[in-house]
């Protein structure tokens, strides 16, 4: 009997152990599957309802006009949101623009009915920049025609065209001169924020613009460029869609050069010297970015320097199509695990340092470009053709937010030291940190009144009130240290700044807003962002 009871207890323990082990395996598998899963739809977590204590929502229209049946409405009423998932806003309606006449008729309809107009495409800005309460939204994504002039080495593009599609069209002969470091954005969005990216020599997209045709609030069309109607040009580029609708832009294109890829790990403190002695004088380095460690053991201390040295002006004639990112599920799991604590942050940094180089895709045959031996060769289009699908997930109670801070080059090291302490002493997971090169920009609302480095951060937060409060506090702390070092913060992101911080960072803002009223006296073009900066600047 005793022996029977002993065997029974043992069997129960084995059964319990097996159940626990099986449950752990099942939980682990379920968790990994959830972390690897792509988005089932856009995130729509609500709305951050104020900027520096000023309420952002407006009352609904009392007597909304009837919808013009001649316009191509894709939505009559309803809500709209942006990539943050935290800007859900009720709009009057959305017009799906397919041709220039749609824009002209939509603006006329808005003028006749006292409606505001907002301009939207893929909506990766994060503070209501592409829509407003009760606004008529122009969805420009299908207004995306691209034509290439090989002899002039230009392309003429409509604002809804995405860089991803443009690269596929240009490849293999040509490549984009200037764009963001990822290709998910629209040309119109890039123009509106004056985006910059991996080409540290080309600088921002403003430097690649030959000319633009812009429809103003009254329906007139004006051509502007760095040498024609320059004041309008300086306000449309980096003007956040507040001065008119870009109908088309003619941009420089360049050869799809062949690069030898390399990477090395340096100390962040050594980066200014590295830039001055290696990057800046070497015109053969076509692309660059610096990726800072977010692992607790050397947080913002080590940097992987990715560089692309030119070895040929053009790729071989048989160059294949541009490939799409590989290993998306695994990369998404690693990124999402990094939100769970220091161990997984260390794992992410380990994979970036040691595993990624082993899986690098070398798209140009080594024998085809100057006999580079064992070098990894790619064309310019390859590293710039990254839609970062692994950054998008199906985790509905959280979101990932971009920040960017522009620092005068002489202030880089003391700024990084202070930013490091701020970021270490808060709870939100820092998923990525990178460094870019920025040139002086002569625009009305410039983020770089002098040559600068930029620190780009990608930070995770819960979408609840506590997560929003933590992100607001962190943003303000980082803006304050940026201002102390003579820098500026980038405006396409969440509206977490104060009036003092906005005006200290952008003292040109009152003049910018005055110009807005000159070009658009009735303030036809509007957005939540526009109302926010107007309120913070004290403009009625």
């Amino acid at each position: 009997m005793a022996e029977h009871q002993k065997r029974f207890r043992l069997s129960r323990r084995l059964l319990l152990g097996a159940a626990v082990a099986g449950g752990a395996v099942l939980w682990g598998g379920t968790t990994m599957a959830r972390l690897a899963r792509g988005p089932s739809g856009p995130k729509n977590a609500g709305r951050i309802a104020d900027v520096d204590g000023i309420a952002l929502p407006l009352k609904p229209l009392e007597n909304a006009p009837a919808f013009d049946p001649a316009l191509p409405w894709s939505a009559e009423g309803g809500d709209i949101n942006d990539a943050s998932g935290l800007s859900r806003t009720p709009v009057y309606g959305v017009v799906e623009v397919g041709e220039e006449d749609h824009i002209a008729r939509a603006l006329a309809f808005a003028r006749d009915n006292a409606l505001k107009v907002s301009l939207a495409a893929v909506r990766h800005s994060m503070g209501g920049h592409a829509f407003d309460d009760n606004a008529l939204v122009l969805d420009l994504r299908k207004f995306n025609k691209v034509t290439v002039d090989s002899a002039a080495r230009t392309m003429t593009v409509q604002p809804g065209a995405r860089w991803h599609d443009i690269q596929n069209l240009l490849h293999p002969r040509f490549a984009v001169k200037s764009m963001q470091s990822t290709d998910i954005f629209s040309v119109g969005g890039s123009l509106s924020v004056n985006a910059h990216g991996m080409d540290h020599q080309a600088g921002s997209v403003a430097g690649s613009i030959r000319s633009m045709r812009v429809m103003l609030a009254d329906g007139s069309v004006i051509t502007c460029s760095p040498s024609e109607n320059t004041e309008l040009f300086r306000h449309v580029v980096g003007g956040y869609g507040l001065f008119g609708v870009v109908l088309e832009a003619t941009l420089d294109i360049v050869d799809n050069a062949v690069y030898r890829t390399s990477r090395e790990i340096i100390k962040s403190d050594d980066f200014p010297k590295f830039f001055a002695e290696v990057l800046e004088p070497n015109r053969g380095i076509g692309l660059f970015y610096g990726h800072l460690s977010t692992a607790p053991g050397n947080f913002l201390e080590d940097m992987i320097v990715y560089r692309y040295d030119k070895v040929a002006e053009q790729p071989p004639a048989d160059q294949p199509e541009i490939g799409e990112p590989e290993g998306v599920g695994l990369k998404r799991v690693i990124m999402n695990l990094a939100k769970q604590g220091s161990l997984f942050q260390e794992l992410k940094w380990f994979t970036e340092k040691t595993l990624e180089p082993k899986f690098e895709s070398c798209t140009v045959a080594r024998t085809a470009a100057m006999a580079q031996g064992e070098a990894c060769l790619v064309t310019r289009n390859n590293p710039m053709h990254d839609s970062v699908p692994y950054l998008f997930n199906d985790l509905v109670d959280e979101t990932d937010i971009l920040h960017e801070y522009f620092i005068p080059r002489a202030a880089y090291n003391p700024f990084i030291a202070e930013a490091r302490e701020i970021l270490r002493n808060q709870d939100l997971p820092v998923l990525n940190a990178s460094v870019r090169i920025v040139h002086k920009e002569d625009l009305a609302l410039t983020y770089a009144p002098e040559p600068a480095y930029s620190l780009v951060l990608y930070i995770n937060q819960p979408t609840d009130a506590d997560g929003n409060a933590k992100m607001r506090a962190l943003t303000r702390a980082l803006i304050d240290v940026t201002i102390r070092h003579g820098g500026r913060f980038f405006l396409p992101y969440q509206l977490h700044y104060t009036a003092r911080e906005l005006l200290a960072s952008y003292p040109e803002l009152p003049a910018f807003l005055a110009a807005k009223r000159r070009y658009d006296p009735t303030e036809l073009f509007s957005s939540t962002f526009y109302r926010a900066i107007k309120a913070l600047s004290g403009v009625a």
Side-chain angles (χ1 to χ4, degrees), residues 36-47:
R37 194 163 56 232
S40 56
K43 294 190 178 183
N44 195 14
R47 181 177 191 175

Side-chain angles (χ1 to χ4, degrees), residues 74 122 150 172 215 312 314 338 396 430-431 441 496 517 538:
S74 62
V122 291
S150 299
M215 184 174 291
Q314 298 177 20
V396 297
V430 181
L431 303 177
E441 299 289 345
H496 283 331
R517 293 295 293 269

Side-chain angles (χ1 to χ4, degrees), residues 272-311:
K273 181 180 179 183
F274 180 87
F275 173 74
E277 296 180 0
V278 179
L279 282 180
E280 192 169 34
N282 190 340
R283 304 297 294 176
I285 301 177
L287 302 173
F288 146 85
Y289 64 99
H291 188 60
L292 290 162
S293 168
T294 55
N298 55 4
F299 186 72
L300 301 193
E301 293 177 1
D302 286 351
M303 174 192 287
I304 303 176
V305 173
Y306 299 81
R307 57 184 276 188
Y308 297 80
D309 291 74
K310 185 188 295 184
V311 298

Side-chain angles (χ1 to χ4, degrees), residues 235 242-243 508-518 530 533-535 537-539:
H235 286 84
L242 298 174
F243 287 81
E508 309 89 352
L509 184 60
F512 175 87
L513 294 174
K516 156 72 173 173
R517 293 295 293 269
R518 290 197 301 274
Y530 173 57
I533 62 172
K534 220 173 61 157
S537 69
V539 175

